Amino acid sequence: MRNLRFRSAATAATTALVAALALTACGQSDAVGAASKPDTTTASTASTASTSTPKDEATEKPQDSTGENAQTASNNNSSSSNKANSKGSGGNKKSNARTTCTGGNTKVTVTNVTRPINHLLVTATNTGSKNCDAYYAPLLGFDDAQSVTQINEDSQPQAVVTLSPGQSAYASIALGGGDGSPTTAAYKLSVSFSGRDNQGSVGSVANLTLPKGTKTNNDTSVSYWQATMADALTW
């Protein structure tokens, strides 16, 4: 009986020792787990700190980019405005551009009129894209005449006749001149234009066929260019 009790007591002591060792082992494991937690927190904090800078930089870049775009847009608007002004200025210059009327930028015709008698009408129509000035009087040559037809100085207008594209200037030819009657048959007529300085003809010459039965004499004359047909036929 004593031996049995001794063995039972020994077995119980052994079991208690094993349990104590197991508890000690579990305590150390928990301690290690508890010690590892600060490391995890530190790593998480470090990770947060390392990613905060890119976020700040990403926030700043759109601000800089927006500023550059605004400046670019402002420069583009200014450039567009300058171009529009430049175009507008160019348009004004084109509309105000002037040149001298010549046979190259006008269409010239010669026609018979019933009143006054023994008169022809010369018409010059601006066919160009610019205003042209019809200076002084047309310089006329009948057939193979060596000199131009005389000009009626009394017909000089108050201002130079300026023709917009499509407009016409007029001059009358008094075939008989004075009180005489025309006696010399004529078939061809050359019409030249005077320059601003009135020192001869400028540009190309218009060569026309005269109406059938046209006659001239030594007193035949031509008027200055006039703005209307009625004004031209008063001479």
Side-chain angles (χ1 to χ4, degrees):
M1 293 293 291
R2 288 182 180 179
N3 290 336
L4 180 61
R5 290 179 180 175
F6 178 77
R7 289 177 182 176
S8 298
T11 301
T14 301
T15 301
L17 179 59
V18 172
L21 291 174
L23 290 173
T24 301
C26 292
Q28 290 176 350
S29 176
D30 292 342
V32 171
S36 66
K37 290 182 180 178
D39 295 338
T40 303
T41 303
T42 302
S44 177
T45 303
S47 175
T48 302
S50 65
T51 58
S52 63
T53 300
K55 289 182 180 179
D56 293 341
E57 291 177 354
T59 302
E60 292 176 358
K61 287 182 178 180
Q63 293 176 353
D64 295 340
S65 177
T66 301
E68 292 174 358
N69 290 340
Q71 182 63 37
T72 301
S74 176
N75 291 340
N76 289 340
N77 290 337
S78 176
S79 176
S80 297
S81 177
N82 290 338
K83 288 180 179 179
N85 291 336
S86 177
K87 288 181 179 180
S89 176
N92 290 337
K93 288 182 179 179
K94 184 176 180 179
S95 64
N96 291 332
R98 299 167 69 149
T99 187
T100 301
C101 296
T102 68
N105 57 22
T106 63
K107 179 180 179 181
V108 184
T109 61
V110 58
T111 55
N112 240 327
V113 293
T114 56
R115 292 286 186 274
I117 61 171
N118 295 327
H119 274 67
L120 297 176
L121 180 69
V122 178
T123 303
T125 303
N126 184 354
T127 58
S129 59
K130 300 178 181 178
N131 294 345
C132 74
D133 294 320
Y135 292 107
Y136 307 101
L139 305 177
L140 305 183
F142 286 91
D143 293 329
D144 297 325
Q146 299 300 310
S147 60
V148 296
T149 301
Q150 62 185 331
I151 296 170
N152 184 347
E153 295 295 340
D154 292 337
S155 65
Q156 183 173 356
Q158 293 182 348
V160 173
V161 178
T162 298
L163 305 180
S164 298
Q167 287 187 326
S168 300
Y170 307 89
S172 65
I173 303 173
L175 296 171
D179 296 328
S181 296
T183 57
T184 305
Y187 305 95
K188 301 291 184 182
L189 178 70
S190 64
V191 181
S192 301
F193 291 78
S194 298
R196 184 175 182 178
D197 58 3
N198 198 23
Q199 298 298 311
S201 63
V202 295
S204 58
V205 179
N207 293 300
L208 310 174
T209 299
L210 288 165
K212 187 176 180 180
T214 298
K215 294 181 179 181
T216 65
N217 65 17
N218 293 334
D219 292 329
T220 296
S221 65
V222 62
S223 72
Y224 275 69
W225 289 113
Q226 308 291 330
T228 69
M229 184 186 304
D231 289 341
L233 293 177
T234 60
W235 306 102

